[in-house]
Amino acid sequence: MSAVRGSTITGLGRAVPAGVLTNADLERMVETTDEWIITRTGIQERRIAPAGVATSDLAFEAARQALADAQVPAADLDLIIVGTATPDMIFPATACLLQDRLGAPRAGAFDASAACTSWVYACAMAHGYIAAGLAETVLVVGAETLSRITDFRDRATCILFGDSAAAAVLQPAPPGQGFLSFVLGSDGSGGSLLSVPAGGSRAPASFETVERGQHFIQMNGREVYKFAVRMIPRAIQAAADRAGIALEEVDFFIPHQANIRIIDAAAHRLGQPREKFFVNVERYGNTSSASVPVALYEAWTEGRLAPGDLGILVAFGGGLTWGACAVRWTKASPEGTA
Ligand code: UT7
């Protein structure tokens, strides 16, 4: 990218619900075993928001923390983008609900919808706005309450998903600092492999759609798995190429946390040490658009990212969509971490 200026993350925040759903809990709900879930996915537990808590509630808590971390008042925000597949409602956008709650009178606000890739797409947009001089300070949130669209009678999907949110504040940075490249992709021909079929204009919510469970996530897990294993290494390599860096120079990878076997396969295919890949899927499962920013937040608070480090963030999901970005990390870890 030959921008006059780039952007970097100056604040991070995260909100995970306290409620834990373990594999043992799921054994009591559907015909499954802790052993099957761990060997096939690596997931041990996931967080579930209590009744009455919506996506914007988690987004608000994560955003509040990110703004405090960046030392930016909400009134200074130019733009709020919420990446989510589980908005509070079809409209208004969850970003508008957040704008009101934060008290951000100057901010434009909209949602980005690219399923699990939404937060990476939203960062690309925020970066573009900043690089073009259309915004100085952008809040980018990934927030999900996937439990609301999960069929807890379907063992093929209900073991995978969880609720959480994370937020980042993006502000201008010199070229070569912060975001170095973005790669976004899609293949709509695979749309039916991962979808929520009803509730939109094709199949408006009705008694029948609810009876058929079409307001829940439907997934062809095996095909999505194959797509992910093929596309993650390509997206990572493309982001590195576009940034003009070699994978050997990369200090950390933050992959979408969907399945430990997908992450292992990506590391193997790229010939990169597995230790470079941050993993927390065992604690949260797949939290869609919140997955990459929650992992980034935890890698940062655990002291695994140092200013000057090179990293690549990568996500994939429904659409089908994928996205990756290279970053030169600029943010010191919070005090008290290694
Ligand atoms: O953000 C993107 C979202 N999605 C993903 O990333 C999902 C990608 N896909 C996956 O992670 C994997 O495909 C799954 C974890 C979903 C499934 O693992 P798999 O190794 O691909 O299993 P499978 O779907 O091929 O199913 C194997 C067997 C089947 O039984 P049969 O047909 O061999 O008799 C399933 O019925 O495992 C059965 N099965 C289960 N057994 C116990 C499916 N779910 C379960 C379960 N417990 N929870």
Side-chain angles (χ1 to χ4, degrees), residues 181-199:
S181 70
F182 280 95
V183 172
L184 305 179
S186 67
D187 176 7
S189 71
S192 63
L193 297 177
L194 181 50
S195 71
V196 176

Side-chain angles (χ1 to χ4, degrees), residues 30-33 36-37 40-41 116 155-157 159-161 194 219-225 228 256 258-259 261-262 286 288 316-318:
V30 289
E31 202 182 324
T32 191
T33 61
W36 191 96
I37 300 173
R40 298 292 177 120
T41 71
C116 304
R155 67 177 185 175
T157 53
I159 55 141
L160 297 173
F161 300 111
L194 181 50
M219 184 176 71
N220 181 332
R222 203 170 285 186
E223 287 305 315
V224 174
Y225 185 95
H256 176 40
N259 186 323
R261 291 190 294 140
I262 293 175
N286 181 346
S288 189
F316 66 91

Side-chain angles (χ1 to χ4, degrees), residues 55-178:
T55 295
S56 67
D57 299 317
L58 298 180
F60 175 69
E61 177 54 27
R64 215 183 44 72
Q65 289 176 21
L67 289 167
D69 180 44
Q71 300 186 322
V72 168
D76 285 2
L77 288 173
D78 298 308
L79 187 63
I80 299 170
I81 313 177
V82 175
T84 185
T86 48
D88 284 28
M89 52 194 111
I90 288 184
F91 70 86
T94 300
C96 292
L97 305 175
L98 185 58
Q99 177 272 338
D100 179 45
R101 229 163 128 187
L102 288 170
R106 298 197 312 113
F110 63 93
D111 290 353
S113 175
C116 304
T117 321
S118 300
W119 188 80
V120 173
Y121 267 65
C123 283
M125 287 191 271
H127 176 82
Y129 272 84
I130 291 172
L134 293 173
E136 295 296 312
T137 305
V138 184
L139 178 67
V140 185
V141 185
E144 302 286 4
T145 43
L146 290 173
S147 60
R148 307 313 190 231
I149 57 165
T150 297
D151 184 349
F152 283 97
R153 298 161 304 181
D154 174 15
R155 67 177 185 175
T157 53
C158 74
I159 55 141
L160 297 173
F161 300 111
D163 303 337
S164 66
V169 175
L170 270 62
Q171 294 185 296
Q177 299 293 312

Side-chain angles (χ1 to χ4, degrees), residues 198-245:
S201 59
R202 180 65 65 195
S206 67
F207 182 77
E208 287 74 27
T209 63
V210 172
E211 204 169 42
R212 289 191 213 112
Q214 292 174 325
H215 56 299
F216 290 130
I217 297 171
Q218 328 258 309
M219 184 176 71
N220 181 332
R222 203 170 285 186
E223 287 305 315
V224 174
Y225 185 95
K226 284 196 263 178
F227 151 73
V229 167
R230 193 174 63 244
M231 202 42 83
I232 291 182
R234 279 194 213 168
I236 286 178
Q237 188 64 60
D241 292 347
R242 208 168 271 191
I245 58 177

